Amino acid sequence: MTQTYQNHMVVLTGAGSGLGRALAINLCRNGVRVAGFGRRKSALLETANEAGKLFIPIATDVSDPAQVASAFQQVRAISPVTHLINNAAVYPHRDIFAETAFTFMETINTNLGGMVACTREALTDMGSVGHGSIVNVSSFADVLPAQCGAAYSVSKGACTIFSRALVADLSDRLPGIIVTTWMPGILATDMGIPEGMDPKIAARWGAALALWNDRTLNGAVFEMDREILAPQGFKRRLKNLILAKSQKPRRISLTTSD
C-alpha cells in the first residue's frame, strides 16, 4: 500500500476527533500521508499518536482564511496537495430564540466557509497539475433539520450545493479533478449519538472514496457506502426504458484496510 500511495498528500480537516481522527488513522495505516487540520493542537497530537508518522498535525481554525492559507503553505513545503477531505464541522445545539446572527454565522463560517477556503487553496495545487479529488462531507440535515440545529442544517445544505457548483465550474476545464459529496450517516461521535455507527466503519468508506480515481465519479453523491442517484425527469426515464438502459448506484469498494 505504501508504494501505491507514496505520491499522495491528503489534507483532512477536523482531524482532531471523531470521524476525522478515524479517517486519518485509516489513511495513514494504509500508507497515505495526511496533513490533519484542527483547532486543538493537543487533539491533533492524540490523533498523531494513533495514526503514526505519516500524519502531519497542523493546528488551524478553518473559519479563518488566513490560517488556512498558512496551513496549506506548510503542507506544500512537504508535498503538493492531491486530495482534500472537507470534514470539519461544528454542531451547536441552540434553540432559534437563543441563536443570534453572530452565533449563526459562526457556524456557517466553520462548516461552509472552512470548506470554501480549503477548497480554494487545494485547487491551487490540483489546478496546476489538472487532477485531484475533493470529498465534501455533508448530511441530510438540510432535508430533515433537527430541533435546535438551524445553523448546522443551513450550512450542510449549502455544502451540498457548493459541491454542485464546483462541478459546474471545473468539469469542462479540469475534468481530472473529482468532486464528490459524502454523507457518512449518524455516527457515535460527539456530534452524533451514542447508538450511532462506529466512525471507524464510516472512515473506511470515506478513505476509499477519497482515493477512488474514477472521473465518472465527478458530481456523485454517496450515503455511507452507496451512491444516491439524481432523480430523472419523465423524458429521461422514457428514453432509458426505450433503450433498455438502467443506471445502478455504485458501492464504495474497500481498497483500504482497517
Side-chain angles (χ1 to χ4, degrees):
M1 288 287 187
T2 303
Q3 189 70 18
T4 303
Y5 300 124
Q6 62 181 350
N7 295 322
H8 290 53
M9 173 61 83
V10 177
V11 167
L12 167 65
T13 67
S17 63
L19 177 61
R21 177 174 291 177
L23 283 164
I25 293 169
N26 183 287
L27 287 163
C28 289
R29 288 181 178 175
N30 283 280
V32 185
R33 286 180 299 178
V34 176
F37 293 2
R39 288 180 294 183
R40 295 178 294 133
K41 185 71 172 184
S42 59
L44 291 175
L45 292 177
E46 290 176 5
T47 300
N49 287 335
E50 295 189 58
K53 294 181 179 179
L54 290 176
F55 183 77
I56 306 158
I58 302 177
T60 310
D61 184 347
V62 296
S63 70
D64 183 346
Q67 289 191 40
V68 170
S70 176
F72 270 85
Q73 286 180 349
Q74 294 179 58
V75 178
R76 292 190 190 104
I78 302 168
S79 171
V81 177
T82 58
H83 301 72
L84 170 65
I85 304 177
N86 280 310
N87 168 70
V90 293
Y91 190 175
H93 291 74
R94 276 193 293 264
D95 183 88
I96 195 64
F97 285 102
E99 194 80 82
T100 67
F102 179 80
T103 58
F104 192 96
M105 290 310 299
E106 277 189 326
T107 302
I108 300 294
N109 286 341
T110 295
N111 297 0
L112 176 62
M115 182 176 289
V116 173
C118 290
T119 298
R120 183 60 191 87
E121 287 292 333
L123 285 175
T124 298
D125 292 358
M126 297 179 189
S128 65
V129 297
H131 60 82
S133 76
I134 299 171
V135 176
N136 291 329
V137 180
S138 190
S139 78
F140 281 115
D142 62 322
V143 179
L144 295 169
Q147 288 183 334
C148 302
Y152 178 81
S153 300
V154 170
S155 70
K156 283 302 180 180
C159 289
T160 300
I161 295 171
F162 180 61
S163 290
R164 298 175 193 157
L166 281 175
V167 173
D169 275 352
L170 300 174
S171 58
D172 289 341
R173 291 175 294 164
L174 296 165
I177 298 178
I178 302 166
V179 180
T180 55
T181 303
W182 178 49
M183 291 169 281
I186 301 175
L187 307 178
T189 63
D190 291 342
M191 287 177 53
I193 59 174
E195 300 80 17
M197 182 193 309
D198 186 339
K200 293 179 181 179
I201 297 173
R204 296 183 68 193
W205 300 327
L209 179 59
L211 299 173
W212 191 353
N213 186 22
D214 182 349
R215 292 186 179 186
T216 67
L217 287 170
N218 199 26
V221 178
F222 284 82
E223 180 188 10
M224 296 189 288
D225 66 335
R226 182 181 289 271
E227 183 179 14
I228 301 175
L229 298 178
Q232 295 181 341
F234 174 75
K235 290 183 178 180
R236 172 62 66 179
R237 296 198 305 272
L238 181 61
K239 181 179 179 180
N240 289 342
L241 181 63
I242 294 171
L243 297 176
K245 292 173 61 178
S246 62
Q247 185 181 4
K248 295 183 178 180
R250 289 168 285 193
R251 301 288 291 268
I252 298 174
S253 176
L254 295 179
T255 56
T256 61
S257 60
D258 288 330

